[in-house]
Amino acid sequence: MFFRLFLFLSVASSVSAAGNVCKTGNIVNRLVNSQPYYWPATWNETQTAPALEMGQTCSWTVTIPQGYYAKLIINGKTQDSLSIFQTIDAAGNLMRTTQEGMQPYYFPPSKFSVTVSNQAAATFAFRIEWKLLPTLPTLYTQISAIAEVINATNKEYYIVYDSNSGVSLLPFPEDINNYYSLRSTLIFEGGRIQRGNYIGNLFLIYQSGNQYITSSGFDSVVIVNLEASNQTNLLLIQESRYVENLHYVELVPVLNSQYKATINSQIKTSALVSTSSIKQTLIDIQMDDNANITVAYGTPDPMVFDKTYTGLQFKKLLPIMYETPVLTFVLDSGVAVFTFQA
Ligand SMILES: *[C@@H]1O[C@H](CO)[C@@H](O)[C@H](O)[C@H]1NC(C)=O
Ligand SMILES: *[C@@H]1O[C@H](CO)[C@@H](O)[C@H](O)[C@H]1NC(C)=O
Ligand SMILES: *[C@@H]1O[C@H](CO)[C@@H](O)[C@H](O)[C@H]1NC(C)=O
Ligand SMILES: *[C@@H]1O[C@H](CO)[C@@H](O)[C@H](O)[C@H]1NC(C)=O
């Protein structure tokens, strides 16, 4: 009898259940033993996202003690064009989405915020975990005129790159339509996580549409991947003095097909860059006959093996097959349209 009554009540409450409600100004501190924090407290990641009542505006400020980072997953979906999920990290970087499938975010100290604002009813839940940051670099290294390409996310690491003038970072996601896995790699200016100046992550750099260059006064940068993922995202690392004036366009090879790329140097000198090690044949280029194009097998640097051609000279050399870890084309003026075959 008691059991039946209980069943009846729970069915009744789930039928009549409105969504969850929430408020602004919540503060969340690391729990004892770094246990995960869930909102709502009855949810966990094995369940579907619970309903959120229409018309909510809610925020959580999550503190992160020194020596830790926070990992956030959100499960939810908004139902109208005005509703959003938003996070802001310790450097003030803002990320907005309308749909979340539990792809993780990673935040360094000292805090981040999560906000949800919805008009129509939505679904929404999240989990936060606090984990230890690595304490010691796995590698200290120097970057100069030779470009370096590393696997950005397929293992954990904590690398310090030092240079004479500053460091340029340009991420190449494996999948240009789905690159959230770049969020696990955090960037700090200066030589250590602890004393460094948190800047953002590789997701934000890729989303910005250009390379990241360390601020003046910072010759070194810390790159730390907090969790390995199975995505082969690459990161091109160069010394900034050779490339700081370039706008980069990434070449995305498509195996067994022809594909095009366009660069426009009418306002800013632009460069097409590839970090693919597959064989690519440049079969056509449309550019002004008297514009100049420089081909570099790495960082463009007149002291190395770069070669500069006029459009007229270069067109006569086609087709050209390339197979090199880094390939850069710098255009001095006008527009160039490249056609490759891989
Ligand atoms: C998640 O929630 C389900 C359903 O309430 C429960 O059975 C399970 O034990 C929970 N898992 C964890 C890890 O808390
Ligand atoms: C990146 O990792 C993949 C898979 O492990 C490997 O094949 C590739 O050579 C690596 N690339 C670089 C630049 O280290
Ligand atoms: C990568 O890992 C994710 C999550 O573990 C999985 O869903 C996906 O299928 C994996 N992808 C590949 C190519 O192995
Ligand atoms: C190409 O380079 C040459 C030699 O530096 C220069 O004289 C010429 O103006 C350049 N062409 C264009 C279109 O800028």
Side-chain angles (χ1 to χ4, degrees):
M1 178 61 201
F2 187 79
F3 181 61
R4 278 176 139 186
L5 179 65
F6 172 77
L7 259 187
F8 170 77
L9 284 176
S10 70
V11 168
S13 75
S14 73
V15 168
S16 66
N20 293 306
V21 297
C22 50
K23 60 183 174 67
T24 56
N26 301 287
I27 308 277
V28 181
N29 298 316
R30 183 175 68 97
L31 301 181
V32 177
N33 300 326
S34 291
Q35 282 178 329
Y37 174 90
Y38 287 100
W39 193 90
T42 51
W43 179 81
N44 74 36
E45 60 276 14
T46 67
Q47 304 167 24
T48 55
L52 181 66
E53 187 61 65
M54 60 192 293
Q56 302 295 303
T57 299
C58 317
S59 65
W60 291 261
T61 298
V62 180
T63 66
I64 306 163
Q66 285 305 319
Y68 287 84
Y69 66 93
K71 179 179 176 183
L72 167 72
I73 60 168
I74 302 175
N75 195 354
K77 194 173 189 314
T78 61
Q79 303 290 352
D80 60 276
S81 61
L82 296 170
S83 300
I84 51 151
F85 305 132
Q86 176 178 295
T87 63
I88 300 179
D89 69 11
N93 298 303
L94 183 146
M95 289 186 265
R96 279 189 172 161
T97 60
T98 56
Q99 194 170 341
E100 288 280 343
M102 301 201 287
Q103 298 89 355
Y105 292 81
Y106 301 83
F107 298 99
S110 57
K111 64 180 180 185
F112 73 96
S113 68
V114 190
T115 305
V116 56
S117 167
N118 67 314
Q119 301 225 326
T123 58
F124 182 66
F126 64 82
R127 181 190 74 193
I128 299 160
E129 287 174 283
W130 290 263
K131 299 185 168 202
L132 287 169
L133 283 167
T135 48
L136 290 174
T138 48
L139 178 68
Y140 280 100
T141 186
Q142 184 84 21
I143 190 84
S144 56
I146 311 291
E148 195 167 328
V149 179
I150 64 168
N151 267 306
T153 54
N154 70 0
K155 59 177 190 294
E156 291 177 20
Y157 59 82
Y158 169 0
I159 306 180
V160 182
Y161 278 95
D162 201 5
S163 73
N164 289 317
S165 65
V167 182
S168 151
L169 301 175
L170 187 64
F172 288 73
E174 177 180 336
D175 179 351
I176 59 167
N177 298 310
N178 188 1
Y179 52 90
Y180 69 84
S181 57
L182 289 172
R183 293 196 297 230
S184 65
T185 308
L186 305 188
I187 309 300
F188 299 79
E189 292 181 332
R192 280 297 181 97
I193 293 180
Q194 291 80 0
R195 281 177 278 124
N197 186 20
Y198 168 68
I199 293 304
N201 58 46
L202 292 185
F203 178 97
L204 291 161
I205 295 177
Y206 183 72
Q207 202 179 37
S208 78
N210 205 359
Q211 60 181 329
Y212 178 76
I213 291 189
T214 47
S215 322
S216 77
F218 286 98
D219 296 340
S220 53
V221 72
V222 169
I223 309 172
V224 53
N225 185 42
L226 296 169
E227 264 185 24
S229 64
N230 54 12
Q231 295 283 299
T232 306
N233 300 310
L234 298 177
L235 177 62
L236 174 63
I237 303 157
Q238 304 186 88
E239 183 171 351
S240 62
R241 73 168 117 177
Y242 302 102
V243 296
E244 62 199 351
N245 296 321
L246 297 178
H247 171 73
Y248 272 112
V249 173
E250 298 187 6
L251 181 60
V252 182
V254 187
L255 269 177
N256 305 317
S257 347
Q258 280 185 16
Y259 46 96
K260 286 184 187 291
T262 301
I263 57 176
N264 185 335
S265 295
Q266 284 166 321
I267 294 166
K268 190 165 185 190
T269 305
S270 292
L272 182 66
V273 60
S274 167
T275 54
S276 171
S277 46
I278 67 174
K279 270 185 204 157
Q280 308 183 74
T281 304
L282 179 61
I283 55 175
D284 183 58
I285 188 164
Q286 289 169 36
M287 61 180 281
D288 293 343
D289 281 348
N290 52 4
N292 301 298
I293 190 153
T294 297
V295 183
Y297 296 121
T299 297
D301 172 8
M303 306 303 283
V304 194
F305 310 103
D306 302 357
K307 248 188 116 110
T308 299
Y309 309 89
T310 65
L312 190 63
Q313 290 167 336
F314 197 52
K315 287 169 191 169
K316 287 185 183 149
L317 300 175
L318 301 186
I320 308 174
M321 201 267 280
Y322 297 102
E323 191 177 10
T324 167
V326 182
L327 175 64
T328 307
F329 300 91
V330 182
L331 181 69
D332 75 340
S333 59
V335 173
V337 181
F338 301 75
T339 307
F340 290 89
Q341 167 82 52

